[in-house]
């Protein structure tokens, strides 16, 4: 495993496309970044203690129609240093949640300097990579601003796999720099439903009465 990680790190260092690379050259995945939180102020991982390192988290989502082998996927921040290599498989519609504590344990096991997910609180990025042989493909990424990394604010997709929004119910954002606040709560490991309103069920008789 250590040799794999070393070669993975080399692949990221040598083969990663520079900023501004044509997105058409990146992978077209079923796997996407779905939600993350860079500024924890509570015990998100359930360890019994609040840690700005261990309680950061990133969620990935399988938006495709087939099971994804996660063994070649890696999460980094904008410095492109591997922070967590995924493992196992993810079924369609499945989510994988990675905490900073998971990343820290993985880095230590691989002999890396251990910092966890290392998501900056002024501005940074979250990146998902796929290493396949001699190629390293940028699968998905999101660059965020400082207000998106404030205490217990998450950034996620309005619906799983959809557009990115600010999830600020725990620390409301009243500024004017996009993305604006939505009042939605972070949903680590659960379905994203920001702004979704359940359909109202009705009878045929009630529907006909609307048009009398």
């Amino acid at each position: 495993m250590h040799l794999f990680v070393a070669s993975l790190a080399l692949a990221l260092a040598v083969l990663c496309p520079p900023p501004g690379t044509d997105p058409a050259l990146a992978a077209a995945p079923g796997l996407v970044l779905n939600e993350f939180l860079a500024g924890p102020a509570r015990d998100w991982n359930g360890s019994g203690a609040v840690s700005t390192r261990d309680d950061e988290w990133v969620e990935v989502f399988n938006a495709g129609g087939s099971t994804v082998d996660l063994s070649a996927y890696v999460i980094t921040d904008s410095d492109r240093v591997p922070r967590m290599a995924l493992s196992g498989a993810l079924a369609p519609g499945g989510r994988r949640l990675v905490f900073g504590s998971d990343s820290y344990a993985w880095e230590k096991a691989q002999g890396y300097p251990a910092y966890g997910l290392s998501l900056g609180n002024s501005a940074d990025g979250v990146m998902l990579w796929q290493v396949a042989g001699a190629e390293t493909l940028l699968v998905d990424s999101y660059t965020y601003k400082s207000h998106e990394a404030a205490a217990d604010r998450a950034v996620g997709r309005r619906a799983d796999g959809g557009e990115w929004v600010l999830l600020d119910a725990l620390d409301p954002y009243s500024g004017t720099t996009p993305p604006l606040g939505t009042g939605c709560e972070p949903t680590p490991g659960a379905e994203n439903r920001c702004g979704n309103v359940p359909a109202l069920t009705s009878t045929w008789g009630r529907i006909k009465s609307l048009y009398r």
Side-chain angles (χ1 to χ4, degrees), residues 169-185:
L170 302 178
D171 181 12
Y173 174 63
S174 58
T176 58
T177 301
L180 304 181
T182 61
C184 297
E185 293 196 11

Side-chain angles (χ1 to χ4, degrees), residues 57-143:
W57 50 265
V58 173
E59 179 190 279
V60 296
F61 175 72
N62 183 359
S66 58
T67 297
V68 175
D69 178 1
L70 298 178
S71 61
Y73 289 88
V74 181
I75 294 172
T76 78
D77 68 344
S78 60
D79 66 9
R80 305 185 181 196
V81 174
R83 301 295 180 185
M84 181 75 185
L86 303 179
S87 61
L90 195 61
R95 301 169 186 81
R96 178 65 54 85
L97 185 61
V98 175
F99 288 102
S101 52
D102 301 321
S103 170
Y104 180 75
W106 179 84
E107 289 166 326
K108 289 188 69 175
Q110 305 307 321
Y112 280 10
Y115 300 107
L117 290 166
S118 193
L119 302 178
N121 296 118
S122 55
D124 202 346
V126 184
M127 310 179 83
L128 179 66
W129 304 91
Q130 181 183 17
V131 179
E135 295 189 71
T136 303
L137 301 176
L138 179 60
V139 175
D140 198 11
S141 65
Y142 184 88
T143 300

Side-chain angles (χ1 to χ4, degrees), residues 10-24:
L10 179 61
L12 286 176
V14 174
L15 298 172
C16 286
T21 296
D22 186 346

